[in-house]
Amino acid sequence: MSQDLKSQSLKIAIIKLSALGDIVHASIVLEFIKKNLESAGINYDISWIVDEKFAEILEGHELISNLIKIPLKDKKFLRTYKILKDAGKFHIAIDLQGLIKSAIVAKILDTKIIYGFDKNSVKENLASLFYTHKFSCDYNENIIIRNLSLTAFALGFKFERDEILNKKPCLMAYEKAEKNEPKRILIAPFASEESKCYDKFKRVIKMLSNYKVHVCFGNKKEFDKLEEIVKYTSADVLEKMSLKELVKFINGCDLVIGNDSGITHIAWAQNIPSITLFGNRPSQRNAYITNKNIVIDACKKIDARKIDKNDFCIREIKPEIIAEAAERILNA
């Protein structure tokens, strides 16, 4: 960062448009920006550009001054362009997405300085052509490390991995419920793709019958599939919740178990114990492991650049392994 920028109130545009899990993973950068810029005596103002379909998860965040919602997924390109041109002037933009569409969004903004990953570090190589400052980071590196490393590069600070383990909740204020008896488990059985979905949650739920198990869903299609999952079990099906309501519910859980989806990543973000199941996605990249946030995968080495969406190896995970892991975490 140049010395002249340090003397001003630094206007920062963070670009992470979608999807839910990716936005949750990126939200950790807000705490690190606050901590490092304030310790350096730098005034700052953070705007976050997000697709309006996922904006709710960030609404009201105390560290975001301006949440800029764009209808890009609805392909309303002219409206998106106008919103971005009217967003104001920024000293820098940081594209945490690394796609051509997010790079174009950064380019449309009123800023001369755009930070992003170099051509060997992004999924879509052409995106790097739009950046004025490029950062090299292995594409298979953990996503939390990638997000923080690019942000640290842009803003001139360093971080230690211990700081990640000691982070504050990344989203809404932590409202932990009173001690739950029996302990409360949330099962999140759905994901954005069928090949990311585990098919033996019914057996897992039965093995955890000593606990209060809740199951959530996101839309009618998922609700229609729930009957078979909870049939002949004591699991409780939650009402349809908004994202904010879901975060609040997760804050009061003792454990969240689910596929590689936004819901299990919310648990990690909020410092709630979690078990995330992986099959055809690289667990070491897409989840940050702690002593209470673990992953269980199909024991396959997956290259993040070569995802086989027809690979249903997640179904090879034995439900006994999941139930045993849950018992260890709940009784730690």
Side-chain angles (χ1 to χ4, degrees):
M1 192 193 319
S2 65
Q3 194 64 36
D4 60 323
L5 285 182
K6 288 186 177 183
S7 64
Q8 305 175 43
S9 181
L10 189 64
K11 292 190 177 297
I12 306 165
I14 300 291
I15 302 165
K16 193 70 164 183
L17 306 174
S18 61
L20 179 59
D22 294 329
I23 293 168
V24 171
H25 279 147
S27 63
I28 190 174
V29 306
L30 296 170
E31 175 185 340
F32 281 72
I33 293 173
K34 172 183 168 66
K35 176 167 56 177
N36 286 280
L37 293 192
E38 287 186 357
S39 66
I42 299 172
N43 295 321
Y44 64 93
D45 185 275
I46 301 174
S47 295
W48 190 304
I49 294 89
V50 63
D51 194 281
E52 61 183 14
K53 287 186 177 296
F54 301 99
E56 185 189 350
I57 195 70
L58 295 173
E59 284 179 347
H61 198 295
E62 63 180 3
L63 299 181
I64 299 175
S65 299
N66 187 20
L67 189 61
I68 301 170
K69 310 170 193 177
I70 57 176
L72 201 53
K73 277 196 172 293
D74 287 336
K75 299 182 179 180
K76 297 180 180 179
F77 303 123
L78 288 178
R79 182 166 166 237
T80 293
Y81 180 82
K82 186 176 187 308
I83 291 171
L84 294 172
K85 294 304 288 185
D86 292 342
K89 188 177 182 64
F90 299 96
H91 291 110
I92 65 171
I94 306 172
D95 181 11
L96 296 177
Q97 194 98 38
L99 299 176
I100 294 173
K101 65 179 180 181
S102 60
I104 292 173
V105 164
K107 192 68 175 178
I108 294 172
L109 292 173
D110 187 358
T111 181
K112 295 180 180 179
I113 303 175
I114 305 173
Y115 287 87
F117 295 104
D118 69 20
K119 66 179 181 179
N120 297 317
S121 307
V122 289
K123 184 176 182 180
E124 297 177 353
N125 296 357
L126 290 177
S128 66
L129 296 176
F130 294 86
Y131 308 138
T132 59
H133 297 69
K134 303 172 187 182
F135 181 70
S136 177
C137 183
D138 188 340
Y139 188 72
N140 281 292
E141 175 63 272
N142 182 268
I143 190 63
I144 301 301
I145 300 298
R146 279 174 59 85
N147 287 331
L148 282 174
S149 296
L150 177 55
T151 305
F153 172 69
L155 297 174
F157 66 82
K158 296 181 180 180
F159 68 92
E160 302 292 336
R161 298 202 178 204
D162 283 351
E163 295 179 77
I164 302 173
L165 298 177
N166 296 316
K167 69 176 175 60
K168 298 175 182 178
C170 300
L171 302 171
M172 60 187 287
Y174 191 88
E175 298 176 4
K176 181 63 177 162
E178 296 180 5
K179 187 175 182 181
N180 297 317
E181 292 295 347
K183 291 183 177 179
R184 180 193 289 179
I185 300 173
L186 175 63
I187 301 285
F190 302 109
S192 57
E193 298 167 15
E194 190 64 30
S195 61
K196 294 173 70 175
C197 294
Y198 185 60
D199 64 339
K200 301 178 181 65
F201 277 117
K202 177 190 284 290
R203 290 171 60 186
V204 174
I205 293 170
K206 288 184 175 180
M207 292 176 189
L208 297 174
S209 59
N210 291 333
Y211 304 97
K212 181 60 177 175
V213 178
H214 303 269
V215 184
C216 62
F217 67 97
N219 52 49
K220 186 180 184 304
K221 182 179 179 181
E222 292 177 357
F223 179 78
D224 292 341
K225 293 180 179 180
L226 273 183
E227 182 179 2
E228 182 54 37
I229 294 174
V230 302
K231 191 175 182 180
Y232 304 125
T233 76
S234 58
D236 170 57
V237 176
L238 296 176
E239 296 291 330
K240 177 74 169 65
M241 292 182 174
S242 68
L243 284 175
K244 284 190 174 181
E245 290 171 336
L246 185 59
V247 173
K248 186 173 182 179
F249 185 85
I250 289 172
N251 284 347
C253 288
D254 297 288
L255 176 64
V256 176
I257 306 173
N259 306 305
D260 171 23
S261 71
I263 296 174
T264 50
H265 299 317
I266 288 172
W268 177 85
Q270 295 299 94
N271 297 334
I272 298 298
S274 63
I275 300 173
T276 308
L277 309 180
F278 286 87
N280 64 358
R281 295 299 199 281
S283 59
Q284 78 282 358
R285 182 184 191 272
N286 291 359
Y288 197 89
I289 297 173
T290 74
N291 62 353
K292 62 182 180 182
N293 301 102
I294 69 169
V295 301
I296 299 175
D297 58 33
C299 299
K300 294 181 70 173
K301 186 174 178 59
I302 306 292
D303 185 339
R305 294 184 182 275
K306 300 175 182 178
I307 301 300
D308 180 2
K309 295 184 179 181
N310 294 311
D311 183 352
F312 289 81
C313 61
I314 191 171
R315 298 177 180 178
E316 298 171 12
I317 299 173
K318 295 181 179 180
E320 292 83 2
I321 295 176
I322 301 170
E324 289 168 4
E327 292 280 1
R328 286 197 304 272
I329 291 174
L330 290 168
N331 295 298

